[in-house]
Amino acid sequence: MLRAGIVGLPNVGKSTLFNALVANAKADAANFPFCTIEPNVGVVAVPDERLEVLAKLSESKQIVPTRIEFVDIAGLVKGASQGEGLGNQFLANIREVDAIVHVVRCFENDDIIHVSGSIDPVRDIEVINLELGLSDLAQVERRIERGRKQAKTDKTVQQEIEVLQKIGAALNEGKSVRQVDLTDEEKELIKHLNLLTAKPIIYATNVSEDDLATGNQYVEQVREVASQEEAKVVIISAQVESELIEIPEEERGDFLESLGVTEGGLKSLIRATYELLGLRTYLTTGEKETRAWTIITGMKAPQAAGVIHSDFEKGFIRAETISYEDLVTTGSTNAAKEKGLLRSEGKEYVVQEGDVILFRVNP
Ligand SMILES: Nc1nc2c(ncn2[C@@H]2O[C@H](COP(=O)(O)OP(=O)(O)O)[C@@H](O)[C@H]2O)c(=O)[nH]1
Ligand SMILES: [Mg+2]
């Protein structure tokens, strides 16, 4: 399962956001299998309206969405990369995640102390990114040092070290690894280092309820930063999310409407995380269940089948495939078949977003 780590300075709303994510998942638990693994680790469903539609068509007993794990990573402070505030331990936690959700305080409230005394999201982002970058730099330098001897006889290590020198120079200038132009081969060479600033990132701008619909000048500042490093920005209000879970479901719509939005920020945050990782969804549907499966962009049919079960990849024969839109328009697989919209795809077929698939496999 994919993991996203929630990071940010103390008191910016990380735990409030995390708790709202998890509470929402719990509220949905009647419909969705879900679990909390540890106090700071929660599993949430990726919202997907197509599931309900397909489940109705197929009269499915159950809906199973695809899921992402969120981790509330506390304790990143200035000096973390030098071991400040148990820093190294938290940095190690971040190394394990696939994507980073960086919560940035964009709300004013004198009752809630800001560790640096004022609201300045750009400065806050720099503080955190500096710690992540310094940690990467130490990692890179250590690897170069250790690999030097081996590089004399090993071509791959030599290439790796050349890439690391390029990265080291960028980190020294305060850039992130994301900002370094790397080929896919180069990325592969350094993948094992799990560099923090190479991870895809979303800035979750935490605003007051009044700014949820429109954002504010702080959000604009964050957008500016994000545009320079291929990062995404979502607007959330941790406060609103924590209030939403306290009120009955039928009243939530009115509450959101009074704030000028149609849905809270959690859904868009979850979706953005999913998209950021370059993930695609294909669907299976039947009487037993309608289910979403996660694949990586470009995956072929047998590998996609392997996501369901490794035996499916080995025994793959063909994939009976129809696009979600075609299935919904025609109303049933049989009707789609008559119109020639049900395709029998083979081993080389690249699975597309929203494909509804029935795999034929050798037992
Ligand atoms: N006004 C306001 N307060 C918030 C918001 N998010 C969090 N807080 C408050 O800020 C304090 C710190 O929040 P917390 O989630 O524990 O921050 P963390 O240290 O980043 O995990 C708590 O008192 C929260 O109630 C928000 O969106 N608006
Ligand atoms: Mg916290």
Side-chain angles (χ1 to χ4, degrees):
M1 197 187 320
L2 288 145
R3 283 196 141 196
I6 302 176
V7 307
L9 287 176
N11 256 4
V12 295
K14 295 183 298 296
S15 298
T16 310
L17 178 67
F18 173 81
N19 291 335
L21 279 166
V22 172
N24 247 296
K26 268 189 189 147
D28 280 343
N31 302 322
F32 305 137
F34 130 91
C35 56
T36 310
I37 299 162
E38 286 164 50
N40 68 329
V41 182
V43 176
V44 307
V46 178
D48 189 336
E49 275 108 26
R50 296 173 298 190
L51 291 171
E52 305 267 339
V53 179
L54 285 186
K56 218 172 240 171
L57 278 184
S58 310
E59 296 177 14
S60 310
K61 291 197 185 71
Q62 203 186 18
I63 289 177
V64 186
T66 184
R67 292 167 296 165
I68 302 182
E69 202 173 285
F70 279 92
V71 192
D72 182 5
I73 300 172
L76 256 193
V77 291
K78 202 172 186 159
S81 61
Q82 315 304 322
E84 198 70 40
L86 292 176
N88 288 323
Q89 191 183 317
F90 297 116
L91 289 163
N93 286 336
I94 304 173
R95 235 167 258 299
E96 306 297 312
V97 305
D98 302 295
I100 294 174
V101 175
H102 184 161
V103 181
V104 193
R105 178 160 164 183
C106 293
F107 65 89
E108 300 189 11
N109 187 321
D110 293 339
D111 295 335
I112 295 153
I113 292 165
H114 189 294
V115 284
S116 306
S118 62
I119 309 301
D120 184 347
V122 176
R123 174 203 57 204
D124 292 359
I125 287 173
E126 278 168 5
V127 169
I128 295 286
N129 284 352
L130 179 66
E131 294 309 321
L132 302 181
L134 286 172
S135 169
D136 280 352
L137 189 59
Q139 191 94 342
V140 165
E141 284 173 348
R142 215 175 308 137
R143 174 65 192 150
I144 292 176
E145 199 50 46
R146 285 187 188 157
R148 200 157 266 155
K149 207 165 165 193
Q150 209 186 339
K152 288 188 184 134
T153 52
D154 189 328
K155 195 84 195 286
T156 315
V157 176
Q158 192 191 330
Q159 284 169 338
E160 183 193 333
I161 287 187
E162 278 163 25
V163 181
L164 290 178
Q165 276 161 344
K166 185 157 76 172
I167 287 174
L171 287 167
N172 258 318
E173 285 172 28
K175 289 191 179 136
S176 66
V177 178
R178 273 185 308 279
Q179 288 169 294
V180 184
D181 248 331
L182 296 176
T183 64
D184 287 346
E185 291 78 35
E186 289 176 324
K187 282 181 189 160
E188 201 53 41
L189 284 169
I190 57 148
K191 203 167 139 191
H192 69 105
L193 286 176
N194 271 328
L195 296 174
L196 304 173
T197 66
K199 293 181 191 293
I201 187 162
I202 296 174
Y203 291 108
T205 55
N206 190 13
V207 300
S208 68
E209 59 176 40
D210 299 332
D211 294 336
L212 189 56
T214 53
N216 58 29
Q217 94 245 27
Y218 300 126
V219 175
E220 291 315 309
Q221 291 167 12
V222 175
R223 282 195 206 284
E224 183 64 37
V225 174
S227 70
Q228 289 158 24
E229 50 165 347
E230 287 181 55
K232 277 185 184 252
V233 177
V234 295
I235 301 176
I236 51 138
S237 171
Q239 173 107 346
V240 168
E241 295 303 333
S242 63
E243 282 167 19
L244 269 176
I245 52 182
E246 298 294 331
I247 61 175
E249 207 169 342
E250 56 276 14
E251 288 169 28
R252 290 181 195 170
D254 286 346
F255 178 50
L256 286 169
E257 202 177 311
S258 75
L259 301 174
V261 293
T262 48
E263 62 176 36
L266 290 187
K267 274 190 183 174
S268 49
L269 175 64
I270 296 169
R271 269 197 223 106
T273 308
Y274 196 73
E275 283 166 19
L276 186 69
L277 292 165
L279 302 178
R280 296 286 177 274
T281 306
Y282 77 83
L283 307 145
T284 54
T285 185
E287 263 180 48
K288 186 176 153 248
E289 64 182 23
T290 290
R291 183 158 181 167
W293 304 89
T294 300
I295 53 167
I296 297 159
T297 309
M299 249 190 196
K300 291 182 177 167
Q303 288 85 54
V307 173
I308 299 180
H309 198 292
S310 53
D311 288 350
F312 276 30
E313 181 169 355
K314 282 184 234 134
F316 178 87
I317 302 171
R318 57 181 198 275
E320 286 177 12
T321 308
I322 178 171
S323 75
Y324 168 79
E325 285 78 17
D326 285 346
L327 181 52
V328 173
T329 332
T330 50
S332 75
T333 315
N334 281 338
K337 200 171 186 173
E338 277 164 27
K339 291 209 161 117
L341 294 170
L342 186 70
R343 294 167 272 129
S344 179
E345 302 285 4
K347 284 197 161 98
E348 291 303 313
Y349 177 66
V350 176
V351 175
Q352 302 294 307
E353 172 65 39
D355 276 349
V356 183
I357 304 184
L358 177 67
F359 289 107
R360 297 290 175 197
V361 293
N362 269 321

